[in-house]
Amino acid sequence: MIAEFIAPTVSWGPLAPVVVVLLAAVVGVLLEAFVPARFRRVAQVTLSLAAVVGALVALALAWSTVKSTGGYDVLSGSFVLDGPALVAQAIILVIALLSVLVMADRTASDEDAFAPMVSAAPGSDYEKIATTRGMAQTEVYPLVLFATGGMMIFGSTGDLLTLFVALEVLSLPLYLLSGMARRRRLQSQEASLKYFLLGAFASAFFIFGIALVYGATGTLRYSEIATAVATPTGTEGLLLLGAVLILVGLFFKVGAVPFHMWTPDVYQGAPTPITGFMAAGTKVAAFAAMLRVLYVMLAGLGWDLTVVLWTVAIATMLVGTVAGLVQTDIKRLLAYSSIAHAGFVLTGVAALDKQGPSSVLFYLLAYGLATVGAFAIISIVRERSASGGVSGEATALSQWAGLGRTHPVVAVTFLLFLLSFAGIPLTAGFVGKFAVFSAAVHGGAWPLALIGVLASAAAAFFYVKVIVLMFFPASEPTQASTDAEPAAAAGTGTATLLQTAPARVVTTTVVRPNGLATVSIAVCAVLTVVLGIFPGGVLDAISQVAAYLP
Amino acid sequence: MSTLATSLTGAVLAGALPASEPVGAIPATGAASGALWLILLPAISAALLLVLGRRADRWGHLLGVLAPAASFVVAAAIALQLLSAPADQRVQDVDLGSWISAGALDLHAGLRVDTLSVTFVLLVTFVGSLIHVYSIAYMAHDVNRRRFFAYLNLFVASMLVLVLGDSYLLLFFGWEGVGLASYLLIGFWNHEVDARPGHDGDHTVSGVNALENAVAAKKAFVANRVGDLGMLVAMGLLFANVGALDFGSVNAAATGGHLSQGLLTAIGLMLLLAATGKSAQFPLQSWLGDAMAGPTPVSALIHAATMVTAGVYLIVRSQAIFDAAPNARLVVVIIGAITLLYGAVVGCAKDDIKKALAASTMSQIGYMILAAGLGPIGYALAIMHLVSHGFFKAGMFLGAGSVMHGMNDSTDMRRFGGLGKHMKITYATFAAGWLAILGIPPLSGFFTKDPIIEAAFVVQDGQVWRAWVFGLVTLLGAAITSFYMSRLFFMTFEGKERWEDDVHPHESPKLMTAPMIVLAVGSVALGGILASGSRFTQWLAPVTGSHEHGEPVLPALVITIVTLVLVIAAAVLAWQRYARQPVPTTAPAASWLVQAAREDLKQDAVNDGLLVIPGTYATRALVFMDGAVVDGAVTGIARGTVAVGDAARRPQTGFVRQYASTMLLGLVALVVIVLAVQS
C-alpha cells in the first residue's frame, strides 16, 4: 500500500533568487532551440544579465526580513536563507554579473573567448567552416546560469543531500565551460577532462563522507546531525571520518593543498573569462558551504577538526606562495595566488570564532572582485603577429614586460588588482586580510595568523615581480624590434639577428573591449579601492547578519 | 609692586575656585562642530600651492597667509562659544566617522575640541598668521617663496591635527606631520647653492652652508625618530593593555586603576621620551641649535612658538597617566630641571643670536616640562607659560630676523652692537620680549614664570628636599636667563657699533615690523590678562582639573622678591660686561666651562662618543655581517625557495593519475592525523 503523498508547503519568497537564476537557465536552453542564430547572442546575454540583476533585487528585498528575524528556513532545512547565505549569494551574483559582462565582450576583433563550435575537432575543416561563418556557442550563458544557481544553493542548504546536488549542479557546467576556449583548444579540452575526472574523484569522497555521517547519525539534516554529534553514541570514529571526507570534497572545490593540483592546469586551460568566474564564484560557494558545515553541522567536532583545518591551511599557504614564485605564465601565477588565498581564507575559517564568517565573506568579496578584474585584463592582453593580426592571449610573463609604458591605463588597473591580492593598505585585499587574520587571532589561532602574515609577505614578492616587470622592464624586449634590426643589419653580427628574430615576431598588444568588459573592469577596480578606503559600511552590514540559523 | 605680584600670582596658584576634576566630553555643537575646517583650510592651501606649482608663484604667498588667518577666525568663534558655555560643556568631540567598524574592530577618528586644544589652536593660528605675514617680506627675494608658504601651511595643518586629534593615533599623525614639515623647512635652502645673484637682503647660501643645512635637517630628523620610538612604544603598550588609543578610553583606564603601576610608569616614560625628542629636552636636545640653519620665520614659528612645545602638550594631555604614575612624573620634573639649566648655561656662551635664542627656548620649555611634571598644580601653569612664551619668543626671533635682514644675514652678535639707534622698531619690540622673558613685572613672563618657580617650591608627596632642589633650580635658572638674555640684548642693541664698513643696518619693511609690534603687545600684556583672577586656570579647568595649591616652603612674597632681585642683579652684571665694557669682535679665550658651553656643553662630542662612533662601528660590523651572513642567508633562502618551488612544481606533472593519487595520499594523511590527535 502506498502512503498518501502529501505535498510540502513551499515558501517561494526566499527561494526567489535561486529560482530566477535557474529558471532563466532553463529558458536559455529553450532559446537555443527556438531563437534564430543571429539573435541568440543578444537574447542570451540580455536574459542572463536580467536574471542575475533580478536575483540581486530579490535578495535585496529579503534583506530586511533576514536582518530582523535571522532568516528563512525553507522545506525544513533543505534551503536556508540566513545572513551568511544571503551575503554569499549576493557576492556570487555580483561576481556572475561582472563575469557575464566579460564573457559577452567580443572585443574589437569581434570574437569572444569561446570556440565557435565546441564539438568540432581542433584543426578540422568543420572548425574552419564554423569560424568563417562566425558561429558562436551561446550555450555558454545558460551554463553559467546553472553554475551560478548551484553556487547559490551550495552555501545555503542545511541538508547534505541538497549539498551534494548543488555541488554537481555547480560543477558540471564548469567542466563543460572549461573546455570551450577559442584558442589553444587542446589545452582547454585537456583542462576540461582533468577537471571532470578529478572532480568526479572528489565527489566520490564527498558522497562517501555523507554516507558515513548518515551511518553514524541516521540523518542528513545539519541541525539533527549537530544534535547527534553532541550526544555520544560510540560511533564517533565513523562520524569523524565522514566529516573529514566531506571536508576533503570542499577542500577540492576551494583548491586547498593537497587537493589543489587541478587548479593551475584548469585555470590555465579554461577560457579566461570562465577562469575568472570559477576562481571567484566557486571559492565563495565552497567556503560558504564549508562555513555552514563547520559552524552549524559539526560545531561539536570543532576540536577534532581543528588539526585538519590547521594542517591544510598551513600547507595551502606555503605551497601556494612557494610554487607561485617560480611560475612564468600569468594565468598559472594567478592560479597559485588563488591557492595561497584559499589558505588565507582558511585561517579565518579555522578560527572557529564568531568573527570568522563575516571576515571570510568580506575577504571573498575583495578577492572575487580583484580576480574577475584581473582575468578580464588578461583576456584583453594579446599577442600580435608580425603581420599585424591579433591572436591569442599573451600569457607568458615575459610578454608583459613594459606594458606599463605601452598601455599605462591597463597596466595601472592590473597593478591595482595585484596590490589588492598582495594586501597592500587602501585596497580591499588589505581589509580582507586584516579581517581574517584578526579573526584567527581572536579565535586563538594566532600561529595561523602569524604564518599567514609571513606567507602574504612572501606572496607579495611575486606580485611585485609582475609589477616590476610591467613598469620597470630590464630591457625593452618587444618594442625594441624595429630599432634593433638596423643595428643588427649594420654588422653587429648575423648570429644575433638569427637568434633574436624569431622571438620578436610576436609582440604584445591590448585589444579594445567593446564596452562590456570595460564596465566590468572599471567596476572591479572602483570597488577594490572603495572597499579599501571605506570598508566600514560593507563590513558592518555583513557582520550584522553574520549569525547562522541553527 | 610686590602686592601686585602676590595678589596676582597668588590668585593664579591658590585660586578662589574649589578643586575640580576634568570633565567628560560631549558631542560638539555650534561652531565647534566645524572644527575640521581649522585643519582643512591650511591643508587645502598647502595642497593647492604644491599642485599648482609655478603657476601660483604670483599670488601663492597671499593664499598662504589667508589660510591660517581664516583658521584663526574659525578658532576664535569656537573659543567664544566655549567661553560662553558652562564648564561641563567645554570639552566637545567632533566625530569624523570610523574607518573600519565591525565587531571588535573599530578604528575611529575624531577631533577633541576643548579648552586645551583651542588654546593651542589660537596660539598656532594667531602667531602662525603673523609669521606668515612677516615671511612675505622676509622671503621676498626667494624664487621658491610659494613652496615655502606651502610648507608653512602644511606645518600649520599638521600642528592642528596634533592638538585637535582625539586619540594618540591622530596625535601621532600630526606629530609626524610637523616633523616632516619641520624637516622640509629647516632644509629649505639646502639645494640653493649660489643660484641667485647676491644683493642686499638676499639670502645667498654658500655650498658649505647648504651642506650644513642638510646635515642640520638630518640631525633634527634623527633626534625626532628616537623620540617617535618612544611614542610608538607608548602607543603599543596602550593598545595592548587598554585596547584603544583615544584619550577618553585611555584616561578612563588610567584613572580606573586597572593598569599596574609599573605599566603606567613605563608608558609615562615612553611618552616623556617622545616629548624630549620633539621639545628638544635633555638628552635629545642637540638638534635644536642646528635647526637654526633654517629660515628665521621657521625658527620663530616651529622652534619657538609651536612645534617644540608639542612635548608639553603631550604631557599635559596625558595627565591621567602621569597622575597615576608618580615616578614617571618625578622623571619629568628632573628632565625639565636639567634642561632648563642646560639651556641657560649654553645660552650664556653663544655668540650666534639665533643659537642663543634656541638655547633660551630649550631652557624655557624646560620650565614648562618641569611645571607639567609637578602635576595638577602645574599643568595650567605650563600651558600659560607656553602661551606667553610663544608670543615673546616668536617676537624675539622675528626681531633677530629683522636684525639679520639689516645686517647682511650675519648672526654674529660680536659684530653687532649699537643697533638700537638704527632699528628703532626692532629695538622696542625686542626690548618688550627681553623684559618679558626676564620676568619683569608687569610684563607677561612675570605672570607666567613666577608661578612656576613658586609651584616648584611647593612640597609634594611630603618630600621637602624636592621642593628645595627644584625651587632653587628654577630660581637659579631665572637668574641665568636674565644674564644671557640681557647679554644678547646688550650685545646686539647697545654698546659700540662693531660691524664692518660694508654693512648698512636699516629698519625692516612694514610687513616685517607689523607682526613684531603685535607680538610685542602680546609680550607686554598677555600674561597679566591671562593670570589676573586666575582666568586662564579656570578656562583650562575642564581639561586639567583645578586643585587646591599647597604651601611653598618659603612665603610666596619672599620667592617673588628673591627672584626679582636675582634677575635684576644678573641683568646689571650683563650691562656691565656687554654694554659698558667693549666687546671683542672675536671670542676671547675663556675658562673650560665657557669653552664647553660654547660647544653646547659638548653635546656633539657626547653624542659622537656615545652614539655616532659606536654606531659607525656597529654599522660597519653590520655591513660586514650583512654581506657575509644576511646576504648569504637571503641568497640561500631565495635559492632554497626556488628549489622548494621547483620541488613543489615537480609533482605538477600534468598527469591526472598522479593528481588523483596525491589527493588520495592527502586524504589518508589527514585521516591519520585526525585519528592520531584523537587517540
Side-chain angles (χ1 to χ4, degrees), chain B residues 117-329:
Chain B
S117 60
V118 169
T119 305
F120 264 89
V121 171
L122 286 172
L123 176 71
V124 171
T125 51
F126 184 72
V127 177
S129 302
L130 290 178
I131 289 170
H132 277 69
V133 172
Y134 179 94
S135 302
I136 296 179
Y138 192 82
M139 302 296 286
H141 302 291
D142 197 300
V143 286
N144 286 317
R145 181 168 70 169
R146 170 197 49 81
R147 195 157 51 84
F148 182 79
F149 274 89
Y151 293 162
L152 276 186
N153 280 341
L154 178 68
F155 169 78
V156 170
S158 309
M159 189 70 203
L160 294 178
V161 171
L162 195 163
V163 296
L164 281 168
D166 73 342
S167 68
Y168 285 96
L169 193 65
L170 264 185
L171 186 151
F172 189 62
F173 267 102
W175 190 269
E176 288 299 307
V178 291
L180 171 71
S182 148
Y183 180 69
L184 292 172
L185 284 167
I186 297 173
F188 188 72
W189 285 330
N190 64 352
H191 42 82
E192 287 160 37
V193 185
D194 286 334
R196 295 147 301 151
H199 59 88
D200 188 37
D202 203 340
H203 311 283
T204 311
V205 178
S206 73
V208 177
N209 278 345
L211 185 66
E212 275 174 9
N213 286 8
V215 171
K218 254 182 214 150
K219 205 164 173 181
F221 197 68
V222 171
N224 275 299
R225 287 295 78 66
V226 178
D228 292 348
L229 188 70
M231 189 77 190
L232 281 172
V233 173
M235 288 204 298
L237 286 173
L238 282 173
F239 196 74
N241 292 287
V242 181
L245 289 174
D246 63 289
F247 298 138
S249 314
V250 169
N251 289 351
T255 48
H258 303 303
L259 304 178
S260 74
Q261 191 67 41
L263 181 66
L264 284 167
T265 308
I267 295 171
L269 290 179
M270 285 298 120
L271 289 174
L272 175 63
L273 179 63
T276 57
K278 196 59 90 191
S279 292
Q281 297 294 290
F282 182 83
L284 295 178
Q285 79 287 3
S286 64
W287 63 272
L288 188 61
D290 297 313
M292 294 300 127
T296 307
V298 172
S299 311
L301 178 60
I302 298 186
H303 306 120
T306 56
M307 185 188 82
V308 287
T309 58
V312 182
Y313 171 80
L314 180 65
I315 290 177
V316 173
R317 189 49 99 187
S318 312
Q319 54 160 315
I321 292 169
F322 284 101
D323 283 350
N327 289 333
R329 223 166 66 188

Side-chain angles (χ1 to χ4, degrees), chain A residues 216-217 225-237 239 300-301, chain B residues 678:
Chain A
T217 60
I225 293 170
T227 329
V229 167
T231 47
T233 54
T235 54
E236 277 77 18
L239 182 69
L301 284 180
Chain B
Q678 219 202 7

Side-chain angles (χ1 to χ4, degrees), chain A residues 460-517:
Chain A
F461 180 73
F462 61 77
Y463 303 119
V464 171
K465 198 172 81 176
V466 179
I467 294 170
V468 170
L469 195 66
M470 287 196 301
F471 291 93
F472 314 102
S475 58
E476 301 275 327
T478 50
Q479 276 65 42
S481 53
T482 46
D483 308 336
E485 270 159 348
T492 46
T494 4
T496 329
L497 184 63
L498 284 176
Q499 274 169 7
T500 50
R504 283 183 181 148
V505 169
V506 176
T507 55
T508 307
T509 185
V510 172
V511 293
R512 186 172 285 282
N514 67 4
L516 297 172

